[in-house]
Amino acid sequence: MAEDRAPKTRSAAVALVRGLSTRPDNFGSGFRRAQPYESDPTEWAVLDEDCVWQRRPLPRTALASLTRRFTLPGSGGKGPVQVSLTVTVHQDTLAARRDMAVSLGEALRCPDQRLNATDRVRGLYSRADPFGEARNGVTDDDLIESGKYLVDGVRGALPFDWFKYRLGPVTVAATDRVGAGHTAEEATKIASEVAQGVAYTAAEIDQLGGNGAGGTGTKSHPGTRAGDGTEAAR
């Protein structure tokens, strides 16, 4: 997505993010839209000084940011899987690069983060793949975070993954929160499928940018956990 092909106004940016054809089954069989499904595109998630995620109005450096939420209902003693996908159109490529840098630093600043009133993550670990290295085939920069997901009142820690890609001035981010009862192998498979779903959206943006991506451009490492487990107010 070269800057000369990217939206220049807030209304055009909102039209772009809302026009993306993200499907629930992009993330694996059985996923469906969650409720609420879409966020307000004039807001985005901000990690505050106390390491708590908050919804805030967009800064002047961002034109639109839309989060769509999906769920794989629980069954057979296995808890639900929650996926959030966020696409943000920044004012320019420099603003998007700065946003990626901020995201990379947040895991260092806040390895333990509060997602909402009941959910939190701990032990976050970041990995970045800049342009020219082991990045996704259609993106300029990749960021992966891994950690553990905890829910107040529920025993045990669960897998948490966060993927974030940049295509020029556009960023695509997704989280997955795996419910209790899934094996480590199942959680790894879920992470891989979510990464594939993010790549589908990245490929669509690549095509809108006039680059004609021939496929999803996935790479080998998105589904591989860093350590023992790998937007969206998250």
Side-chain angles (χ1 to χ4, degrees):
M1 178 65 74
E3 284 193 26
D4 60 358
R5 297 293 299 265
K8 300 297 187 297
T9 65
R10 179 149 293 181
S11 60
V14 171
L16 185 147
V17 296
R18 282 193 164 145
L20 293 171
S21 57
T22 306
R23 294 169 34 172
D25 61 3
N26 284 359
F27 305 102
S29 177
F31 275 88
R32 64 184 64 170
R33 292 183 178 186
Q35 296 299 326
Y37 173 52
E38 289 187 343
S39 68
D40 182 342
T42 66
E43 297 179 345
W44 70 351
V46 175
L47 189 64
D48 68 17
E49 294 182 357
D50 296 321
C51 300
V52 178
W53 284 95
Q54 308 279 355
R55 298 293 298 179
R56 294 286 185 264
L58 289 175
R60 61 177 181 79
T61 56
L63 299 176
S65 185
L66 183 71
T67 297
R68 286 172 169 165
R69 299 176 180 88
F70 306 89
T71 184
L72 177 66
S75 65
K78 297 177 181 179
V81 178
Q82 309 292 335
V83 172
S84 297
L85 177 77
T86 301
V87 179
T88 302
V89 180
H90 299 266
Q91 187 177 53
D92 51 34
T93 298
L94 179 59
R97 292 179 63 186
R98 285 174 173 165
D99 181 52
M100 294 291 288
V102 168
S103 295
L104 180 61
E106 284 174 339
L108 299 175
R109 178 172 69 89
C110 295
D112 299 343
Q113 302 175 4
R114 171 68 68 175
L115 303 181
N116 52 46
T118 60
D119 302 356
R120 54 195 170 93
V121 292
R122 72 181 184 195
L124 283 176
Y125 169 86
S126 292
R127 166 179 171 168
D129 290 318
F131 185 83
E133 297 185 11
R135 63 183 178 83
N136 183 289
V138 300
T139 63
D140 297 310
D141 298 304
D142 293 5
L143 174 62
I144 300 173
E145 288 188 3
S146 313
K148 292 296 185 180
Y149 166 52
L150 300 97
V151 180
D152 293 350
V154 176
R155 177 179 295 181
L158 306 168
F160 176 87
D161 306 286
W162 188 41
F163 308 96
K164 189 167 184 175
Y165 299 162
R166 181 181 67 83
L167 298 92
V170 181
T171 56
V172 184
T175 64
D176 67 65
R177 298 177 233 178
V178 180
H182 294 268
T183 66
E185 291 76 14
E186 290 170 337
T188 297
K189 182 174 184 292
I190 289 167
S192 179
E193 290 178 337
V194 170
Q196 180 79 24
V198 183
Y200 284 141
T201 298
E204 183 177 0
I205 294 168
D206 185 64
Q207 290 174 331
L208 291 172
N211 298 310
T216 60
T218 52
K219 56 190 173 186
S220 59
H221 75 255
T224 303
R225 282 185 152 43
D228 61 351
T230 112
E231 121 212 282
R234 285 197 176 195

